Amino acid sequence: MQLKRSLDIFVYKSTSHNVWVNLSFEDWILSKVDLTCRRILFLWRNSPCVVIGRHQNPWLETNIAVLRDKGVLLARRRSGGGAVYHDLGNMNCTVFTHRQDYERERNLQLVCEALNRGWGLDLSVNKHHDIISGNQLKVSGSSSKLAKDSAFHHFTLLLCADTANMTTLLRPAPLLSLTNTSATLSRRSSTLNLSSRSHDITWDAACSHIASAFYSAHDITLTNQRVVEVEPGEEGGFPGITKMADELKDWYWIYGKTPKFTLKAENEFKFGHLVFTAEVEGGAITSCDIILEHSSSTPTAFLNNLKDALTGTLLWRSHVLAVFQQLQTSMQQSRKSSCVMVDDLDTQFCVNKLFM
């Protein structure tokens, strides 16, 4: 007869609002903690940011220019799934278990029961492992990461998130179209803030109810239930976590890990209709084409030079802008062009958020 394992149960509540720090704490527990006889619930929230799945395309999931203008961070997590918007009104729960104990449905049902019992809600779990309200509006989405002997399942809870910001940021730039990609696409859903159902569903109250339900599910009595506040970014307590966070904020992880794709951007300028297409891999332009339509004269030499100069350049505003500026300077010095077109592209095509 197989004996039931005795489990140590822990609930941690992050004091950090930094998305890279909180995501790296998940990775730290998954890689550093023996979860054979442990189950851990991690409760956390972030300052405004967009978080994309491991296999997603940031140019397709969000408007990078708007993120930059609003000072909103972008992160790529190590788990799969779709893009989500985080702010202090969006709660995150991560359940860590041994891999053989991994079970999304159990985790989500526990949260539904805790919130339904606490506030008289009508939450349930659908076939996509989303938590939805009785009118089918989504309040939570799930993702997970499985290692050899351990796993985590994390999911959001919309408490009082800025839904206007969420709608604006989870939308790609209107002048860009992307094709030929194997990147995971997000499923768009209508959402609901739980605070619209009950004004006293706060971060602290939700943490308390969910933590209590998690402990009770493991037969931990009320007197022994404890929520431990942690600062995940402390290197002294979590050796190696600084390096993990640095890896998550690196440009080549956030953008360079994007599966290869074809980009098309076009716009009207006073000299004609410009169409730019590019093959992008590893975050860099591997080949491109630039066509000028409806123009009285086509600066063939300039466009050819521009195509050559952009090949190998990172698909990032500052890098593309530098290419235009260098080409402009070169052409001015050689007196081969009046540079009217170059000036327009410098201020409109680059800075006008066609290249991020």
Side-chain angles (χ1 to χ4, degrees):
M1 182 178 69
Q2 185 176 8
L3 297 177
K4 185 178 180 179
R5 287 177 292 133
S6 176
L7 295 173
D8 293 324
I9 309 301
F10 302 92
V11 177
Y12 297 126
K13 183 178 179 182
S14 177
T15 61
S16 173
H17 296 152
N18 183 290
V19 61
W20 295 313
V21 168
N22 284 322
L23 288 174
S24 63
F25 187 66
E26 290 184 319
D27 298 334
W28 192 92
I29 290 180
L30 192 70
S31 61
K32 304 289 187 181
V33 177
D34 183 356
L35 295 169
T36 304
C37 295
R38 291 186 181 89
R39 281 191 185 163
I40 298 171
L41 171 64
F42 177 45
L43 305 171
W44 49 291
R45 57 182 178 161
N46 297 316
S47 298
C49 61
V50 170
V51 184
I52 61 173
R54 182 184 184 99
H55 306 295
Q56 289 201 289
N57 184 321
W59 289 276
L60 192 59
E61 298 296 334
T62 186
N63 190 323
I64 297 170
V66 175
L67 290 183
R68 184 184 65 241
D69 292 345
K70 287 179 171 284
V72 175
L73 298 180
L74 177 63
R76 181 189 296 273
R77 60 181 182 268
R78 297 193 185 277
S79 62
V84 290
Y85 169 74
H86 288 189
D87 63 18
L88 295 183
N90 191 359
M91 179 178 183
N92 296 276
C93 307
T94 310
V95 180
F96 299 87
T97 66
H98 191 273
R99 179 161 179 160
Q100 71 185 44
D101 297 326
Y102 167 79
E103 189 179 331
R104 286 192 184 195
E105 184 79 17
R106 176 191 62 216
N107 302 331
L108 297 171
Q109 290 292 355
L110 180 148
V111 170
C112 286
E113 291 169 9
L115 298 179
N116 289 343
R117 184 168 55 249
W119 286 279
L121 303 175
D122 53 356
L123 304 179
S124 60
V125 183
N126 68 12
K127 64 181 181 180
H128 300 295
H129 289 123
D130 301 328
I131 294 178
I132 58 173
S133 65
N135 56 1
Q136 304 300 304
L137 295 177
K138 182 177 175 179
V139 300
S140 171
S142 283
S143 186
S144 59
K145 182 172 175 58
L146 279 65
K148 180 182 178 182
D149 296 313
S150 55
F152 70 67
H153 167 217
H154 53 191
F155 48 96
T156 56
L157 273 176
L158 290 172
L159 302 180
C160 55
D162 185 336
T163 52
N165 229 14
M166 178 167 61
T167 300
T168 299
L169 296 176
L170 295 182
R171 181 183 296 160
L175 297 178
L176 296 180
S177 62
L178 279 66
T179 57
N180 302 326
T181 178
S182 62
T184 302
L185 300 178
S186 296
R187 288 186 297 107
R188 308 296 177 186
S189 303
S190 298
T191 59
L192 173 76
N193 269 324
L194 291 178
S195 60
S196 67
R197 294 295 181 86
S198 180
H199 293 301
D200 61 348
I201 303 181
T202 63
W203 156 252
D204 288 325
C207 286
S208 178
H209 277 71
I210 293 171
S212 180
F214 187 73
Y215 274 123
S216 297
H218 296 93
D219 300 321
I220 307 296
T221 60
L222 186 63
T223 55
N224 293 317
Q225 295 180 10
R226 182 166 172 250
V227 177
V228 179
E229 289 195 345
V230 295
E231 171 47 67
E234 290 184 349
E235 184 71 21
F238 311 104
I241 200 163
T242 301
K243 181 181 178 183
M244 289 180 169
D246 288 342
E247 290 172 351
L248 289 180
K249 68 177 71 171
D250 184 76
W251 193 95
Y252 287 95
W253 168 254
I254 299 172
Y255 298 97
K257 284 294 182 180
T258 302
K260 64 181 179 179
F261 64 98
T262 301
L263 173 146
K264 182 179 180 180
E266 55 185 308
N267 205 354
E268 291 287 345
F269 298 94
K270 62 184 180 182
F271 47 76
H273 184 80
L274 191 70
V275 181
F276 174 84
T277 56
E279 301 297 319
V280 182
E281 186 171 4
I285 299 169
T286 56
S287 64
C288 66
D289 192 23
I290 305 172
I291 299 173
L292 185 60
E293 302 172 339
H294 314 307
S295 175
S296 57
S297 62
T298 301
T300 304
F302 168 71
L303 294 180
N304 287 337
N305 288 339
L306 186 57
K307 286 190 287 186
D308 292 340
L310 285 173
T311 301
T313 301
L314 294 181
L315 187 61
W316 194 246
R317 180 180 181 276
S318 59
H319 289 253
V320 174
L321 186 57
V323 168
F324 278 108
Q325 291 172 337
Q326 291 168 5
L327 185 58
Q328 179 186 32
T329 300
S330 175
M331 296 184 73
Q332 286 173 333
Q333 291 174 346
S334 63
R335 298 180 182 275
K336 290 182 179 180
S337 169
S338 65
C339 291
V340 172
M341 180 179 176
V342 181
D343 289 337
D344 286 339
L345 287 174
D346 177 32
T347 58
Q348 297 180 53
F349 194 65
C350 292
V351 181
N352 196 23
K353 307 177 183 71
L354 283 176
F355 291 101
M356 299 304 117

